[in-house]
Amino acid sequence: DPIEKNQGNSNNEYGIEINKIEQLLNSTTDLIKLSEGIYEVFIRAFGKDTFKKSKSECKEIAQILLSQKVIKKIINDWDPIDLFPGAPDDEYWTEIEEIEQLFRFTNNPIKLSEAIYKIFVKSFGEDTFKKSESECEQIAQVILSQERM
């Protein structure tokens, strides 16, 4: 929550700001531009007295968003349960968030591939998710080959 907890705000109340950040994310892959943009969006919306996050914290948020964007493209292109083109492009969002969290903390392709396999089996079951552990290892390699933001 970008605003102090005692303000009573929830993430649902930030629709305008989220839309502006999504526009920024769609227009740049530059970490500095995105982090500065996130900071400015919230400063303009709430002012410095209310928005208590630092520029460094905004950079961390930008890093996560950029990583999620890259992983989303990789996973959607892979389309592990053949949903596209009929499904919305956020169909794998829960799995992408889990993969991104692991990506931040590991460079180990085996560990990441095992996690990818488990994430998709947990989400869709073995009857629907039919990719092999070897295919998950290939995807893990592609994800790990991406430049870390």
Side-chain angles (χ1 to χ4, degrees):
D1 192 346
I3 307 302
E4 291 296 304
K5 296 289 183 192
N6 62 8
Q7 297 291 320
N9 293 308
S10 72
N11 288 337
N12 295 338
E13 296 177 25
Y14 303 125
I16 293 170
E17 292 75 26
I18 290 170
N19 287 337
K20 288 179 181 178
I21 292 168
E22 285 174 351
Q23 289 172 358
L24 281 168
L25 186 59
N26 288 331
S27 69
T28 187
T29 57
D30 183 271
L31 177 61
I32 301 303
K33 283 184 182 178
L34 183 59
S35 62
E36 288 173 354
I38 290 169
Y39 184 79
E40 289 302 317
V41 163
F42 283 106
I43 289 296
R44 285 187 187 132
F46 303 106
K48 288 184 179 183
D49 291 338
T50 304
F51 183 67
K52 302 293 185 185
K53 301 293 182 193
S54 68
K55 288 184 179 183
S56 174
E57 289 171 303
C58 290
K59 184 177 179 184
E60 290 174 25
I61 293 166
Q63 288 172 319
I64 292 167
L65 292 173
L66 288 170
S67 292
Q68 287 174 340
K69 180 179 178 178
V70 169
I71 293 169
K72 178 180 178 182
K73 175 152 181 30
I74 293 167
I75 297 298
N76 285 355
D77 288 350
W78 181 41
D79 193 11
I81 62 168
D82 299 321
L83 294 174
F84 300 121
D89 76 342
D90 65 351
E91 191 64 37
Y92 298 119
W93 188 247
T94 301
E95 296 77 25
I96 290 165
E97 286 182 313
E98 288 183 58
I99 293 166
E100 191 280 327
Q101 288 173 6
L102 292 166
F103 171 72
R104 278 189 270 154
F105 300 107
T106 189
N107 286 320
N108 184 324
I110 301 301
K111 186 175 180 179
L112 185 59
S113 68
E114 289 171 350
I116 290 169
Y117 184 82
K118 289 176 185 174
I119 288 166
F120 281 100
V121 166
K122 179 182 77 173
S123 291
F124 300 105
E126 290 179 348
D127 291 341
T128 302
F129 178 70
K130 298 187 183 294
K131 301 292 185 185
S132 68
E133 290 182 30
S134 173
E135 289 172 289
C136 293
E137 187 173 343
Q138 291 172 355
I139 292 302
Q141 292 283 2
V142 171
I143 290 170
L144 290 171
S145 73
Q146 303 306 305
E147 181 179 329
R148 294 195 184 247
M149 301 295 153

